Amino acid sequence: MRHLMNPLDFTVEELDSLFDLANDIEHNMPRYAHACAGKKLATCFYEPSTRTRLSFEAAMLNLGGSVLGFADADSSSAAKGESVADTIRIISCYADICAMRHPKEGAPLVAAEKSRIPVINAGDGGHQHPTQTLTDMLTIRTLKGRLDHLTIGLCGDLKFGRTVHSLINALSRYEGMRFIFISPDELRIPDYITEMLKEKGIPYEEVIRLEDKMPQLDILYMTRVQKERFFNEEDYIRLKDFYILDKKKMKLAPADMLVLHPLPRVNEISVDVDDDPRAVYFQQAQYGVYVRMALILTLLNIHVG
Ligand code: NCD
């Protein structure tokens, strides 16, 4: 039995097969409509979510399966003091696969160790968010045609943004990558990530101004300032509108640069950018459904002939 805790749990070859499957699903949806008939997905969400939870549920429903779960810790027995380890033992009696989001880093891993069904980490604190990373990678691979030889600018809250940490981790295995980290000083990328890049000899830069780097980018990955992980409100208010990508700044970008965002967006991308063909963040959310369908099939070991 296999779980997904970290994007590195899959080899590059396994990821390629997963993305091929996701692309096949994209073009042949009806063929997959009953692939998970009789199977159940549990979504255990101890932290707010719109996209991740609903895209998991949509993915399972598209596959002909059913879904059950809870969307907030207060409505589960966690409010009575039940441990994640006990909860997953129970969920293992009710469902065939589980997606879990938790504010504590490592909680889905604790669950996986006690589980009798595959567990997918749907975001653990500021740590990892592997299915968002799979979504981001499928979007880049499909729309850019490759996952190597890319200059990627990551902009915003690089300190607390788990999607950023997961994505860099995953992309660091591909050839010819170059990272540009764009953030205010207070929200810099953690040292453990720059250490990893140095060790692997992957070039990166850290800058504050977005405008200067725009012309060099193949991908611009915008992120929201992670309000819920701040220790005080004042710092959040000071930093929340540090970057606002607008039409004027988009003029500095190459014609084929793609703008990604894991969403939800707050103010960091002005709505007037939405109509720009380079803005692919809503398409990205659609790819999130295809890749989660592919992931559910893979972890349940279901093959559609
Ligand atoms: C992200 C998350 O939860 O980390 N959202 C998502 O799953 N698409 C990004 C965010 O909340 O900023």
Side-chain angles (χ1 to χ4, degrees):
M1 188 181 56
R2 250 185 126 166
H3 308 286
L4 176 67
M5 293 296 122
N6 184 310
L8 301 184
D9 293 350
F10 284 115
T11 64
V12 169
E13 292 73 28
E14 285 172 328
L15 285 179
D16 266 335
S17 314
L18 187 86
F19 297 140
D20 286 342
L21 177 58
N23 285 138
D24 192 63
I25 290 170
E26 174 187 4
H27 299 294
N28 301 292
M29 272 291 241
R31 278 187 48 215
Y32 293 86
H34 306 290
C36 283
K39 301 283 184 197
K40 283 179 283 207
L41 163 79
T43 51
C44 300
F45 276 59
Y46 297 87
E47 238 194 13
S49 163
T50 306
R51 257 153 305 275
T52 305
R53 187 170 60 82
L54 295 185
S55 65
F56 263 115
E57 297 192 357
M60 192 49 152
L61 296 172
N62 287 343
L63 292 166
S66 323
V67 296
L68 66 164
F70 54 87
D72 101 73
D74 293 340
S75 69
S76 78
S77 280
K80 300 181 188 167
E82 185 171 59
S83 68
V84 164
D86 280 4
T87 303
I88 195 68
R89 284 191 174 102
I90 303 308
I91 301 289
S92 296
C93 308
Y94 303 157
D96 301 283
I97 185 165
C98 172
M100 178 180 287
R101 167 170 290 192
H102 203 284
K104 283 214 185 93
E105 302 176 0
L109 184 60
V110 171
E113 281 161 2
K114 301 288 180 210
S115 180
R116 287 190 286 113
I117 57 174
V119 177
I120 300 167
N121 176 6
D124 61 329
H127 190 219
Q128 296 278 332
H129 192 344
T131 60
Q132 182 63 46
T133 297
L134 299 181
T135 301
D136 303 339
M137 292 172 84
L138 177 65
T139 307
I140 297 171
R141 186 183 186 258
T142 309
L143 300 179
K144 268 274 179 217
R146 65 181 196 277
L147 281 168
D148 49 19
H149 298 93
L150 293 167
T151 298
I152 305 207
L154 297 110
C155 176
D157 187 345
L158 308 186
K159 180 177 180 185
F160 296 115
R162 57 189 169 198
T163 63
V164 167
H165 306 158
S166 260
L167 183 61
I168 298 166
N169 236 343
L171 291 179
S172 68
R173 294 195 292 191
Y174 295 82
E175 291 268 301
M177 301 301 292
R178 189 172 146 235
F179 294 100
I180 300 183
F181 301 128
I182 306 151
S183 76
D185 223 22
E186 293 91 330
L187 298 177
R188 278 182 48 202
I189 192 85
D191 289 341
Y192 80 88
I193 292 188
T194 50
E195 291 303 324
M196 179 274 288
L197 295 174
K198 271 186 224 153
E199 240 167 64
K200 291 187 159 180
I202 299 171
Y204 71 88
E205 278 174 73
E206 293 189 75
V207 301
I208 296 178
R209 264 173 63 85
L210 170 61
E211 292 85 332
D212 301 345
K213 293 293 161 186
M214 285 286 265
Q216 304 175 17
L217 303 180
D218 296 306
I219 307 285
L220 173 60
Y221 193 89
M222 292 297 294
T223 62
R224 147 186 97 85
V225 176
Q226 305 278 300
K227 182 179 182 187
E228 65 277 36
R229 306 203 199 284
F230 271 72
F231 296 110
N232 75 69
E233 175 102 14
E234 257 167 63
D235 284 347
Y236 171 70
I237 290 170
R238 186 166 49 82
L239 294 168
K240 74 181 170 66
D241 294 329
F242 202 91
Y243 297 106
I244 299 181
L245 180 66
D246 56 17
K247 257 198 164 124
K248 198 166 141 229
K249 292 198 188 89
M250 285 300 285
K251 290 209 176 93
L252 303 167
D256 60 352
M257 185 194 83
L258 299 180
V259 184
L260 275 72
H261 191 310
L263 305 176
R265 150 175 69 185
V266 187
N267 283 329
E268 58 281 355
I269 303 180
S270 153
V271 291
D272 67 14
V273 175
D274 295 355
D275 297 333
D276 190 307
R278 295 168 292 182
V280 297
Y281 28 90
F282 294 118
Q283 250 169 294
Q284 191 181 345
Q286 180 67 65
Y287 283 117
V289 178
Y290 302 138
V291 91
R292 286 182 177 94
M293 290 172 73
L295 180 65
I296 291 170
L297 290 173
T298 304
L299 293 180
L300 290 178
N301 214 358
I302 294 172
H303 301 277
V304 175

